[in-house]
Amino acid sequence: MTHTYLRKVNYYETDKMGLAHHANYIKWMEESRVAFLEQIGLPYDQFEEMGFVSPVVGLSVDYKTGCTFADTVAIQVWIERYTGVRLEVGYRMTNSRTGKLVATATSQHCFLQDGKVVSLKKLGTPAHEILERAVQPEE
Amino acid sequence: MTHTYLRKVNYYETDKMGLAHHANYIKWMEESRVAFLEQIGLPYDQFEEMGFVSPVVGLSVDYKTGCTFADTVAIQVWIERYTGVRLEVGYRMTNSRTGKLVATATSQHCFLQDGKVVSLKKLGTPAHEILERAVQPEE
Amino acid sequence: MTHTYLRKVNYYETDKMGLAHHANYIKWMEESRVAFLEQIGLPYDQFEEMGFVSPVVGLSVDYKTGCTFADTVAIQVWIERYTGVRLEVGYRMTNSRTGKLVATATSQHCFLQDGKVVSLKKLGTPAHEILERAVQPEE
Amino acid sequence: MTHTYLRKVNYYETDKMGLAHHANYIKWMEESRVAFLEQIGLPYDQFEEMGFVSPVVGLSVDYKTGCTFADTVAIQVWIERYTGVRLEVGYRMTNSRTGKLVATATSQHCFLQDGKVVSLKKLGTPAHEILERAVQPEE
């Protein structure tokens, strides 16, 4: 499953080069991940209410072309890999105005309950099935 | 009492006009306020450990001249007014490179304990004396 | 004229009190102002392409109740006052989930062309008419 | 050569988990990189005045343990690799209070002049020698 999240670039996100500063992409990744989780039926605020948190344990970004104020970035987001203990999310950002690739990225996440790393699979929580069902099929 | 907090403007704080974006000033106010509280003997992390929080209930900023990457802003910070229930903090930001006035600002704060507004004065907490002693004398 | 801009609170906008940090409101004001300008027919990116910029010269915010991740804030935005040289924008933020007032705010702006303060009125630019027409009628 | 940049975690950098939000680390990387460049004799503002910019083309971060408000993070920064066309910077962040490893990271950069990718080596600019001299010797 893939979700596309549209994000307008804000003025306050530009820097003196006239382009969106690279640190903002990390925030866009989070926004699109949250939208994706909502779409698959696992809104992150409800996941937290169940007693879980899912911190970022790693991320990487490849910056391709810049984007700027008033541009809209289409962020495709999907689950790259999910093991019950680890979640890897993939992102592909395209500039809707120019059609150019803006960036590709991945983020890795674990799951915590009461501050301890847990396996959603072993816990048998419904969240596990939702994530497993949402894994992107290999093409 | 007055404290001067020196703050380098970061690249990521500039916007496409080439100047520090105005939203950053609010963060600088917080940084300088925290440094001030530490200097008068009331570090904010310890204040929170005592069970208090002190949210911002209002603020206003007058923007005078811009500043940019690699500039250092000298932020003078002081207590404008303190009643036990309310705290008003004053700020005066000057560009160390040019000597020009960057901004003047104030922020208003209340005090919460267990989510309820409290009077530090009535509680007789040492924090009250520290704040009262630190009030800027009228000139 | 009044525009309502809906803004979801992002996870990265919360702080350790569990609420959206107060500095973010300044960014939401900019986002809603940009959406308002687009709606009245003066998109800010086109305004900049005409050779103008409109820096913030002042702002003030009254914080009423907190809001947090996954809340949606409805930001009502309008022109409070416009003279050709000065623009004052008003904001009223309401939590769509709770119905509570989140904040009220104003921001003041001037207009620059080639780095110099100008009167849009004296310049006779179409931007002047658009802004004048959009001024909120007194009730 | 290695530089250590000390960075206090700000209140506004924490999120509702009570820890510094992961997006801030990207900003700390930039701050420490700028401090490093200044220390080796290539202040980034002067590099830009020479007509160059050096955008981030990639980055990756491994998050190890959290850090929070009032913690100080010691960021060790060095040049991992430099070819004249590409620069890779390495980072190692440690919590000064706990001694724990906070994160390790790398960022990759190219060099632009008038919007075009250039080789600092081919241009024979003094910046090239400075960077080459600063490369971390293999251990």
Side-chain angles (χ1 to χ4, degrees), chain A residues 76-88:
Chain A
Q76 235 191 312
V77 51
W78 65 88
I79 297 180
E80 189 74 42
R81 195 168 146 264
Y82 170 68
T83 65
V85 176
R86 271 294 173 116
L87 173 69
E88 180 161 327

Side-chain angles (χ1 to χ4, degrees), chain A residues 62-75:
Chain A
D62 280 307
Y63 295 90
K64 302 298 189 180
T65 58
C67 54
T68 190
F69 172 57
D71 282 354
T72 296
V73 179
I75 309 175

